[in-house]
Structure formats: C-alpha cells, structure tokens
Amino acid sequence: MITTNETKIVAKPGHQDLFIEREFEAPRDLVFRAFSEPDLLVQWLGPDNLTMEIDKFDNRSGGSYRFVHIDERGNRYGFNGAIHEVAPPERVIRTFEFEGLPERGHVAMEIALFEVLPHERTRLKIQSIFKSVEDRDGMIASGMERGMNQSYAKLDELLKK
Amino acid sequence: MITTNETKIVAKPGHQDLFIEREFEAPRDLVFRAFSEPDLLVQWLGPDNLTMEIDKFDNRSGGSYRFVHIDERGNRYGFNGAIHEVAPPERVIRTFEFEGLPERGHVAMEIALFEVLPHERTRLKIQSIFKSVEDRDGMIASGMERGMNQSYAKLDELLKK
C-alpha cells in the first residue's frame, strides 16, 4: 500500500504566523536524524527541481546554518539562520531568512516539535512566526506548500531505507 | 537642562508582536557600541535593582549570547538567544528566551534598528515578535516597561561620558 500523509498548513487571516503538521511512518529518533544530519538532509529538503548544498550547518543551540538550493541552470538560492535551540529528539528553534528578497531583515522564527505517535510513527509540528502578515502571506504565495509536499515525499522515501 | 526621552511601547490588542521606540542624545555609532561591547552593556542593561553578568556574548551574525541578572539576594535570572544578524551600525536581529519560565520553547525574536537623527541624535526601534499573544502579554505584565525605562536612563548617563 502506498500512503502519502497529508501536509496540513493552517494560516489564520490577519495573523503573522502559520502552523504546519505532517505525520511520518517512522519513529521519532529517525525523523529527527533526517532533519539533523547533513548527509541525510541534502537528500530530501527542497522542491524536486532543485538540488541542495550545505554551506554551513553548526547544528547546536547557539549555532547557525546556511543552505543553498540550486536550479537546473545553476542559479543559487541561499537561506540562512541562527539556531536558538536543538533539543534532540523533540525540539528545534531557529531563525530563517531567504537571501533572495529585495531587502534584508525579513526574518522568520521556526519552532519545530517532533512528537511520538503510537505504532512507531511521528508527528512533526512547525510554527513559523514572521515579521508581518505580509511576510507570511508572501512566503505562502511563493509556493511553500508545493515545495514542502515534494520535500516530505522525498523524506518518506528516505525513511523507508 | 535635563531631558529624559520617552520610551514608547506599542502593543496592539490581539497581535503577537510589540514595538518599542526610544531616542538618544548621542550619535548612532556610539549607541550601537553601547549595545555591542560587553563592558559597556553591563553598565546599563537591566532594572536598577539587578546587576548584570555576561556568561557568553559571541556578538556576530550566527553567534549567540547568554546574560544573567542578579538581585540583592544573589538570585540569578538567565536569558539567552541566538544572533541572526549583526549589521553595524544599523541592525541587530536575535532570539530571546527567559530561562525562568516554567517550560522551555517560549522564544521571541527581536529586530533592533538604529536610525540616524539630525543633530547627532539616534532613534532605536525594536520589534519583538512572540510565539503567541499570551507570551507577549505576559512579557508586558512582567514589568518590562519599568525595566526598560531604568535601563535606558542608565544608558543616557553612559552616553554622556
């Protein structure tokens, strides 16, 4: 049986945050590892048409990261952030900034929680909090949902291995 | 003439962020330094009845900090965060978590802008963005405004030197 778990995105009108929920057919430790280890992360994070490169991933409380997505033509799209907390295997809090925006300073904060479900399953809950409602709505309009669905489908495959 | 500039705090009902504005009688480079250099920071940050200790201050984009306020009885109140960006002399973006809360994960993000005003004066604008409206309102109820007024009054004195 092929199952694809749904990615639920809730963005209330007029709020400056959004909530993402996705379940995985794998135990929490494994899902957390896929978010934490560079060689696993590059295999699934990002839309299908982009490859991913890790410029920096100092994955600890007080660390930072910089990732780059690269399209077929070689165009590079960088994003980076500071890591407030890595609390394995249940919580990661970090900032996020897409470097392709016309001005700096449009930063979001992400709170990711990894919850144990029965039958060795895992629920991921992410809250993304933006500088403004406009920033949040711009992120949604940029194709976030599609990229997320493609990423998590690749992650599903990786978790099977 | 003794002037004390007013600290304006705007927190719209039902929003999860708040805005702070304060002017200083000193040029921007100097105000930015007072926020950036450990030996200056300890002289003004915090309410009058607390002393301040810097546990860590890796003050750069991708760095982190941990500060401790200490009361007359020796009780210690720690807070820490990850530093998303330090862009001298105009912008600092970082996270903030008070370690005395009953549970972890109630993190805020602060965006501080330092603006040049005529006559060698400076305007500081801070946006603090919280996980929830409740977190924001709790911060306001904790006596944030009083602590801020006392901090900035001490900073006024320091900037005169």
Side-chain angles (χ1 to χ4, degrees):
Chain A
M1 193 180 82
I2 297 165
T3 55
T4 305
N5 293 320
E6 192 195 351
T7 303
K8 291 175 205 157
I9 302 179
V10 176
K12 290 187 199 166
H15 285 234
Q16 68 198 84
D17 59 355
L18 61 83
F19 296 84
I20 297 159
E21 226 178 279
R22 176 64 149 83
E23 296 182 3
F24 295 95
E25 308 300 319
R28 179 167 70 169
D29 282 342
L30 209 60
V31 178
F32 195 88
R33 272 185 58 201
F35 278 80
S36 309
E37 297 182 14
D39 54 325
L40 299 177
L41 196 64
V42 292
Q43 295 182 53
W44 67 268
L45 186 63
D48 288 342
N49 59 326
L50 302 176
T51 56
M52 185 180 153
E53 208 174 272
I54 292 182
D55 178 37
K56 182 171 67 169
F57 193 23
D58 183 13
N59 192 36
R60 56 174 176 88
S61 304
S64 63
Y65 69 95
R66 181 170 186 269
F67 302 153
V68 183
H69 281 142
I70 304 160
D71 71 14
E72 300 89 339
R73 296 177 188 168
N75 296 314
R76 300 170 66 84
Y77 307 93
F79 51 105
N80 74 80
I83 302 174
H84 178 85
E85 185 187 29
V86 180
E90 60 183 45
R91 188 170 57 239
V92 175
I93 301 177
R94 62 189 190 188
T95 60
F96 171 93
E97 183 171 20
F98 177 54
E99 297 167 7
L101 296 178
E103 63 173 20
R104 297 267 63 78
H106 292 268
V107 181
M109 181 169 68
E110 299 174 343
I111 301 175
L113 305 177
F114 300 79
E115 295 179 353
V116 169
L117 294 179
H119 310 297
E120 305 222 297
R121 301 177 71 252
T122 303
R123 181 185 293 128
L124 168 68
K125 290 164 80 171
I126 299 175
Q127 180 187 8
S128 285
I129 307 161
F130 294 80
K131 188 173 151 51
S132 65
V133 179
E134 293 68 33
D135 277 14
R136 184 201 66 170
D137 292 346
M139 173 63 90
I140 294 171
S142 77
M144 181 193 77
E145 186 167 5
R146 189 177 129 273
M148 205 159 258
N149 282 330
Q150 294 180 351
S151 292
Y152 293 152
K154 283 184 283 184
L155 177 52
D156 283 338
E157 291 307 308
L158 180 63
L159 291 168
K160 282 183 197 161
K161 293 180 193 169
Chain B
M1 194 179 82
I2 296 165
T3 56
T4 305
N5 292 319
E6 194 195 351
T7 302
K8 291 176 206 155
I9 301 179
V10 177
K12 290 188 199 166
H15 286 234
Q16 67 199 86
D17 60 353
L18 60 83
F19 296 85
I20 297 158
E21 226 178 279
R22 175 64 148 86
E23 296 182 2
F24 295 95
E25 308 301 318
R28 178 166 73 168
D29 282 342
L30 209 59
V31 177
F32 195 89
R33 272 185 59 200
F35 277 81
S36 309
E37 297 182 13
D39 54 326
L40 299 178
L41 197 63
V42 292
Q43 295 182 54
W44 67 267
L45 186 63
D48 288 342
N49 59 326
L50 302 176
T51 56
M52 185 180 155
E53 208 173 274
I54 292 182
D55 179 37
K56 183 171 66 171
F57 194 24
D58 183 13
N59 192 35
R60 57 176 176 86
S61 303
S64 63
Y65 70 95
R66 181 171 185 268
F67 302 152
V68 183
H69 280 143
I70 305 161
D71 70 14
E72 300 89 338
R73 296 177 187 168
N75 296 313
R76 300 170 66 84
Y77 306 94
F79 51 106
N80 73 80
I83 302 173
H84 178 86
E85 185 186 31
V86 180
E90 59 183 45
R91 188 169 57 237
V92 174
I93 302 177
R94 62 189 189 186
T95 61
F96 171 94
E97 184 171 22
F98 176 55
E99 296 167 7
L101 296 178
E103 64 172 21
R104 296 265 65 79
H106 292 269
V107 181
M109 181 169 68
E110 300 174 344
I111 301 175
L113 303 177
F114 299 79
E115 295 179 354
V116 170
L117 295 180
H119 310 296
E120 305 223 297
R121 301 177 71 253
T122 302
R123 181 186 294 127
L124 168 68
K125 290 164 79 171
I126 299 175
Q127 180 187 8
S128 285
I129 307 160
F130 294 81
K131 188 174 153 49
S132 66
V133 179
E134 293 70 30
D135 276 15
R136 184 201 66 169
D137 292 346
M139 173 62 91
I140 294 171
S142 76
M144 180 192 78
E145 186 168 4
R146 188 178 130 273
M148 205 159 258
N149 281 330
Q150 293 180 350
S151 293
Y152 293 153
K154 283 184 283 185
L155 177 51
D156 282 338
E157 291 306 307
L158 181 63
L159 290 167
K160 281 183 198 164
K161 294 178 193 171

